[in-house]
Amino acid sequence: MVGVALVLLLVLLGVCIPVGAALGLLGLILEPLYSSLPLARAMGEMAWGSSNEFLLVAIPLFVMLGEILLRAGFAQRMYEAMAKWLSWLPGGLMHANIGASTVFAATSGSSVATAATVGTVALPQIKRFGYNEPLFLGSIAAGGTLGILIPPSINLVIYGVLTNTSVPKLYLAGILPGILAALLFMAVIVAACLWRPAWGGEPVRASWRERFASLVHLLPPLAIFILVVGSIYAGLATPTEAAALGVVGALVLALAARRVSWQMLREVAENTMRSTAMIMLIVIAAGFLNFVMSAIGLTDAITSSVSGLGWPPMAMLVAMVVFYVILGCFMETLSMMITTIPIVAPIMTALGFDPIWLGIVIIVLVETALITPPVGLNLFVVQSLRKSGSIQAVIVGALPFVVALFVVIALLALAPDLALWLPRIFG
């Protein structure tokens, strides 16, 4: 049964059926094969149950927040400020890619939005300053992954909904690993450019006066971060309400900067609806698939098979890492989370792993999937922004950053307090 389901899923994805549709179709195929009951008749109830969750309202709001900041031009000025402060390091503007991604991740909650925003601003700098193209492209793709780890994160909201875990505590847990990942990305760039100085391009210089003057452009994203995350931990708002506050704050900043127009608002609305529709289709289809899998006993079969192995907790952790790395090569990240977490999380927590710590580890593994071929979403986002060239350059450039994410996972395993210290202090 497990083998049949896995083969069917790979076939559906292999023939390029959209992920949301593939998950729903898999549920419809498994039902007549293994169930005597008409499970498909519950599809409407499953769709309502999967989407009727107040916390999920945060998803379109965070998407809209990122769209407003992008369309209002804050991202361009934020990148320029980061460039002035970080370009003295070996690797120059590649550090600005990571720094800008870190700051934008703290407002958007989306890896795709982060990679697309920073990539749009950064790509013209490759030829202008003579950077090594693969490494530069890889830094954009890798920096974008921070969007789902540093709060506010849409994927952490999804994990919280699936496991009934506190989203505010997950947000706290993601801060230090997110900063650690950003620092390791920058260390990769420094090491590469010390090894091959020509990869770092021409130096970009800025006076101290220019640097301090540019700090004003970092205030809008900082203000949004304080408004969203601060309102949660001050007890003034739930994550969904905080997301709404962030949208209002972003609109106020855009109005103050005189960047709001009907055209801009239409683009924000269109892109928000498009992204939300894609996410919710996956949520609903995966919810139905999980229902079918539970009804036919597939979930219990997988759980009992894994539990019957009798492996110690650390061996199971290694197995989970390998499982997600392999699955991430073939499956889109959000659908991967929704289909696997209801199975993986109970097994791992039963072995004694903290659910908040586990959530951060899974998110880092999902980050890895974003930049591993052949289905690494951020790879395609960065490639779509280029006017020419093969995606192979993006893939090659992202590989060193995949290693950095494995280092983050190893450090989380060796020092769980990297994720648990802040929730314990402020939770």
Side-chain angles (χ1 to χ4, degrees):
M1 187 189 301
V2 176
V4 171
L6 181 59
V7 170
L8 285 172
L9 178 59
L10 292 176
V11 169
L12 291 171
L13 295 175
V15 295
C16 298
I17 295 177
V19 173
L23 296 177
L25 281 173
L26 180 59
L28 291 173
I29 294 171
L30 290 175
E31 180 222 327
L33 289 177
Y34 298 106
S35 175
S36 58
L37 299 175
L39 301 178
R41 295 184 181 180
M43 186 178 292
E45 184 177 350
M46 289 300 103
W48 175 254
S50 300
S51 55
N52 185 27
E53 170 63 55
F54 178 68
L55 197 56
L56 291 177
V57 179
I59 293 175
L61 291 172
F62 280 131
V63 173
M64 180 175 285
L65 171 57
E67 286 289 332
I68 293 171
L69 293 174
L70 172 61
R71 307 291 170 186
F74 292 119
Q76 170 78 39
R77 295 190 288 276
M78 176 187 67
Y79 183 85
E80 292 172 353
M82 281 294 178
K84 289 182 172 64
W85 280 95
L86 299 176
S87 58
W88 61 272
L89 291 165
L93 292 179
M94 286 185 277
H95 295 287
N97 296 343
I98 304 300
S101 295
T102 304
V103 175
F104 194 79
T107 59
S108 72
S110 166
S111 64
V112 172
T114 302
T117 300
V118 176
T120 301
V121 178
L123 281 178
Q125 314 304 324
I126 297 177
K127 292 185 178 178
R128 180 182 175 187
F129 293 102
Y131 286 100
N132 175 266
E133 188 170 27
L135 187 62
F136 196 97
L137 295 170
S139 70
I140 298 172
T145 66
L146 298 171
I148 64 170
L149 181 57
I150 296 176
S153 162
I154 292 173
N155 291 60
L156 284 175
V157 171
I158 295 292
Y159 178 86
V161 170
L162 292 174
T163 60
N164 197 28
T165 304
S166 167
V167 173
K169 288 185 177 180
L170 287 168
Y171 278 0
L172 280 172
I175 293 175
L176 291 182
I179 294 172
L180 175 63
L183 292 174
L184 286 173
F185 289 163
M186 295 175 72
V188 166
I189 295 169
V190 169
C193 292
L194 289 176
W195 181 49
R196 290 284 191 272
W199 290 1
E202 300 175 14
V204 181
R205 307 189 187 282
S207 66
W208 282 104
R209 182 173 182 175
E210 290 173 327
R211 288 172 180 167
F212 283 112
S214 69
L215 287 177
V216 68
H217 300 310
L218 298 178
L219 293 179
L222 178 62
I224 295 297
F225 177 79
I226 293 174
L227 178 63
V228 173
V229 179
S231 63
I232 294 174
Y233 296 114
L236 301 176
T238 65
T240 301
E241 293 165 345
L245 284 174
V247 170
V248 173
L251 281 172
V252 170
L253 290 173
L255 284 168
R258 298 186 178 181
R259 295 278 181 165
V260 176
S261 66
W262 287 114
Q263 174 70 17
M264 177 263 206
L265 292 175
R266 186 176 70 184
E267 290 176 353
V268 167
E270 287 178 353
N271 282 282
T272 299
M273 287 188 289
R274 186 178 296 112
S275 298
T276 303
M278 177 193 71
I279 293 171
M280 291 309 299
L281 174 61
I282 294 172
V283 170
I284 291 170
F288 173 68
L289 175 60
N290 287 333
F291 166 71
V292 172
M293 289 170 60
S294 297
I296 65 177
L298 182 58
T299 302
D300 289 338
I302 295 173
T303 303
S304 60
S305 298
V306 174
S307 302
L309 294 174
W311 289 358
M314 290 309 295
M316 287 297 298
L317 177 61
V318 172
M320 186 191 77
V321 170
V322 173
F323 168 72
Y324 271 105
V325 169
I326 295 173
L327 195 63
C329 292
F330 303 99
M331 201 170 184
E332 189 272 332
T333 53
L334 186 61
S335 55
M336 180 172 66
M337 285 184 62
I338 295 171
T339 53
T340 62
I341 286 175
I343 299 172
V344 172
I347 295 173
M348 300 303 289
T349 52
L351 290 170
F353 291 105
D354 187 281
I356 294 174
W357 175 89
L358 178 65
I360 300 304
V361 172
I362 289 177
I363 292 298
V364 176
L365 288 168
V366 171
E367 282 189 277
T368 307
L370 285 168
I371 53 175
T372 50
V375 193
L377 192 57
N378 278 18
L379 302 177
F380 290 103
V381 170
V382 174
Q383 176 64 17
S384 69
L385 299 174
R386 303 172 68 198
K387 296 180 180 179
S388 61
S390 167
I391 194 172
Q392 183 177 357
V394 189
I395 294 172
V396 171
L399 290 178
F401 300 99
V402 173
V403 176
L405 288 173
F406 283 137
V407 173
V408 174
I409 295 170
L411 291 174
L412 283 168
L414 294 172
D417 272 359
L418 280 172
L420 297 177
W421 181 65
L422 286 179
R424 187 165 58 246
I425 296 297
F426 296 102

